[in-house]
Amino acid sequence: MMSLSAPRHRRALRRLPATLAGATAGALVVGLAAMPAQAESGTGAPLGAVARAVGDARFVPGPCPRTADPIPDLERARCGTLTVPEHRSRHKGRKITLGVAIIPAATSRPAPDPIVWLAGGPGDDAVSEIPMAIAGGLNRDRDVIFMSQRGTYSADPELTCPNVDEFNARALGLVFGAPSTGRLHVEATRACRDQLAGRGADLSAYNGTESAADYAGLRKALGIKQWNVFGISYGTDLALQYMRLHPKGIRSVGIDGVLPPSLAGGAVTWRAAREGFDGLFKACAEQPACNTRYPNLKATFERLVRELEARPVTTTVTVPGHPEPVKVVLDGQVLVTWLTSATHLAAGVPRSIDELAHGNPQRIAQQYAGGKLSPQAIGRVSHGLAFGVFCSEWTPYESEADVIRGGRRAFPSFPLSVLANAPQLAWLHADCRAWDVPAAPRSIRKVTRSDIPTLVMSGGFDAQTAPSNGAYAARTLSRSTAVTVPYVAHVAFAESPCAQTITVSFFDSPTAPDRSCLAGLQPPAFEIAP
């Protein structure tokens, strides 16, 4: 199983600003008297300065959440924790706490309605994504609120399982699509489950329904009459659920890298791969230098998938931080998985595919291994939340045959052994049998219908959540603005100044965001090998 969040090699903007796991932000208690005027919490005090309990949620100001890497922006944040029931249907069950950090607006006179950030994954920690949000100017006019989703790194309990990440690193030297690798994968998942359950976690409580209720509780506990929501990647699934289940108090919603709950699963990831790959291949074909040097790129890639699946290639590479050479096996499934992430490095993709076609797998193997072996790949993702979502909300409503059919529609030439494992979600049904949590009610798959103003944004090279998902979601959002930002991959806000401009302008004018920058966008200048 893999996360639907943006790939780790791109975390200079998302997760890779990180250094070593285990570093903490420290117990920062900011002097409230020194803070600029902010959106008020209903008492005249700055937002996040007052303890308050409303219903089953209680916010208490306090130290900033722990982080795996230093986040300088936390030095000016107001922080605390939200305490909520682990399982709301069990009235005498245990409580859990979620870390909260409020980054003040850059202006001294912020708008009264802040923005709350919904992280991706499932399983990413929102607090770790503060640098991306601030780099994109999201706090220009508004405070931005970051709360760790239940089970994530800065929550208590945190349901990370380093053993799963460590297995993914060891699996670099295995034939990925082999049944034996699948069995080992499921063993790692089962060990994760046993560990978390042994610590007392009710694994059936880590899902989108409970998370949506957590955010509804946070708004009330902070005393916010009205706020805005911005979700990325899996956070778009959660945002759409939140809009449907708890619409009160939401002024507007932005979703970027759209995954509607009604579609979530393996089949849509095959469609996403098709659309993202084709967008990149088309851009190369339309650039004379790229098309001349790398003709028929699409056909070459698909041929390589078939050939590698029949005869995997083994190589060794050197990865930063690992002095010893690393063994990497490339099969067809690995090549597909690599490209779903490599669309973020689009300029080098045609050259990498061409080198592989001419017997040199080094560039692809090094990129693929670098993502698995990075310090940011170990112990950061909440597998407890990820499997809670996948196994209660996705797999009960999509069979393994559905995944294969979706793959065959998108890539009819791929062998069955590749089609059986959807990109980013390998071995998922077997994992979910091991995870063993109840299915969510079928209503979890309902289409979200709403008149809340919504920005629906996609990237033209998005191979992780299909660009067409945006148009699909927008159809039932009567006051939506659908935007596809060309030439960028999953989560356009993370890498496109134009997407950032559109997003910030949307929260200022939710029915008329400024999209003028789209007209000037240009494709990447593809690398041309000598």
Side-chain angles (χ1 to χ4, degrees):
M1 184 276 299
M2 297 177 65
S3 171
L4 286 174
S5 59
R8 299 174 196 280
H9 64 67
R10 192 173 60 107
R11 298 305 163 81
L13 287 169
R14 295 210 48 209
R15 259 192 222 138
L16 266 184
T19 51
L20 297 176
T24 64
L28 296 172
V29 182
V30 180
L32 294 174
M35 299 299 293
Q38 302 295 332
E40 294 186 351
S41 60
T43 65
L47 182 61
V50 178
R52 181 187 282 103
V54 180
D56 59 18
R58 177 175 176 79
F59 175 79
V60 178
C64 286
R66 74 172 190 138
T67 61
D69 310 293
I71 298 179
D73 290 299
L74 285 175
E75 294 178 9
R76 59 195 178 93
R78 292 185 301 280
C79 299
T81 56
L82 186 79
T83 300
V84 295
E86 182 178 47
H87 203 305
R88 286 177 170 81
S89 68
R90 297 172 187 171
H91 301 296
K92 295 185 179 180
R94 73 172 182 171
K95 304 287 187 178
I96 61 175
T97 60
L98 312 176
V100 178
I102 302 169
I103 301 295
T107 179
S108 61
R109 294 185 177 275
D113 44 285
I115 299 169
V116 63
W117 177 280
L118 306 188
D124 288 358
D125 184 56
V127 178
S128 71
E129 295 178 340
I130 288 173
M132 175 172 61
I134 304 310
L138 199 63
N139 70 323
R140 187 190 71 184
D141 303 312
R142 288 172 170 78
D143 291 356
V144 184
I145 303 167
F146 300 84
M147 182 175 75
S148 51
Q149 290 171 33
R150 51 180 50 217
T152 58
Y153 187 87
S154 62
D156 184 13
E158 50 88 10
L159 305 185
T160 59
C161 282
N163 75 292
V164 173
D165 306 320
E166 290 160 358
F167 170 76
N168 289 335
R170 292 195 303 274
L172 287 167
L174 305 176
V175 176
F176 188 84
S180 57
T181 303
R183 288 191 291 271
L184 292 172
H185 193 289
V186 175
E187 286 178 15
T189 300
R190 185 175 290 109
C192 171
R193 187 196 194 287
D194 292 346
Q195 173 197 354
L196 299 181
R199 285 163 38 193
D202 181 349
L203 299 180
S204 69
Y206 292 82
N207 54 55
T209 301
E210 293 284 0
S211 288
D214 294 340
Y215 283 97
L218 176 66
R219 182 186 66 80
K220 296 173 185 176
L222 288 176
I224 298 170
K225 181 178 181 181
Q226 191 175 58
W227 68 3
N228 305 277
V229 177
F230 186 55
I232 62 168
S233 192
Y234 164 72
T236 68
D237 178 314
L238 179 56
L240 289 164
Q241 289 193 52
Y242 177 39
M243 292 170 71
R244 183 173 63 83
L245 297 171
H246 306 279
K248 185 175 180 180
I250 301 177
R251 171 180 176 264
S252 69
V253 177
I255 50 177
D256 183 359
V258 182
L259 184 66
S262 54
L263 296 180
V268 76
T269 67
W270 277 120
R271 179 157 57 82
R274 176 82 280 167
E275 292 180 20
F277 296 174
D278 283 355
L280 193 156
F281 296 150
K282 182 174 183 287
C284 174
E286 291 175 347
Q287 198 168 108
C290 189
N291 190 49
T292 299
R293 182 66 180 80
Y294 311 115
N296 305 312
L297 194 62
K298 176 178 176 179
T300 299
F301 171 76
E302 295 188 9
R303 171 176 60 80
L304 288 169
V305 171
R306 296 191 297 271
E307 291 178 355
L308 286 174
E309 190 65 9
R311 293 177 297 279
V313 168
T314 301
T315 188
T316 58
V317 296
T318 301
V319 174
H322 290 263
E324 299 298 320
V326 177
K327 176 185 173 183
V328 179
V329 177
L330 298 180
D331 64 4
Q333 182 70 46
V334 167
L335 188 58
V336 172
T337 300
W338 163 78
L339 188 52
T340 61
S341 296
T343 52
H344 292 280
L345 303 172
V349 164
R351 180 176 180 176
S352 296
I353 293 173
D354 183 71
E355 288 186 4
L356 178 63
H358 287 87
N360 181 2
Q362 290 289 296
R363 279 168 58 102
I364 290 176
Q366 190 170 48
Q367 287 180 9
Y368 185 68
K372 300 293 184 184
L373 296 172
S374 165
Q376 290 76 30
I378 309 296
R380 306 290 184 92
V381 170
S382 171
H383 294 286
L385 178 58
F387 283 122
V389 171
F390 294 152
C391 302
S392 68
E393 300 176 10
W394 297 12
T395 59
Y397 301 106
E398 180 182 65
S399 69
E400 291 167 278
D402 291 333
V403 175
I404 292 170
R405 280 192 291 269
R408 188 166 285 126
R409 283 193 298 270
F411 296 94
S413 72
F414 283 4
L416 179 62
S417 56
V418 172
L419 299 178
N421 277 314
Q424 314 164 76
L425 299 172
W427 313 110
L428 184 57
H429 279 78
D431 280 335
C432 284
R433 287 190 287 271
W435 202 253
D436 191 26
V437 291
R442 182 167 287 277
S443 60
I444 201 72
R445 308 290 288 188
K446 282 186 176 179
V447 171
T448 298
R449 301 180 185 277
S450 176
D451 61 0
I452 297 172
T454 306
L455 173 66
V456 183
M457 190 152 62
S458 303
F461 288 175
D462 188 350
Q464 294 175 264
T465 56
S468 64
N469 285 355
Y472 171 89
R475 287 185 311 191
T476 54
L477 303 173
S478 62
R479 299 175 69 196
S480 61
T481 302
V483 175
T484 297
V485 182
Y487 316 126
V488 295
H490 184 54
V491 184
F493 182 90
E495 61 186 50
S496 167
C498 180
Q500 294 162 2
T501 296
I502 294 169
T503 301
V504 173
S505 74
F506 166 77
F507 289 118
D508 285 342
S509 303
T511 58
D514 179 4
R515 294 176 283 172
S516 59
C517 60
L518 292 169
L521 298 180
Q522 298 294 322
F526 291 100
E527 295 178 22
I528 306 299

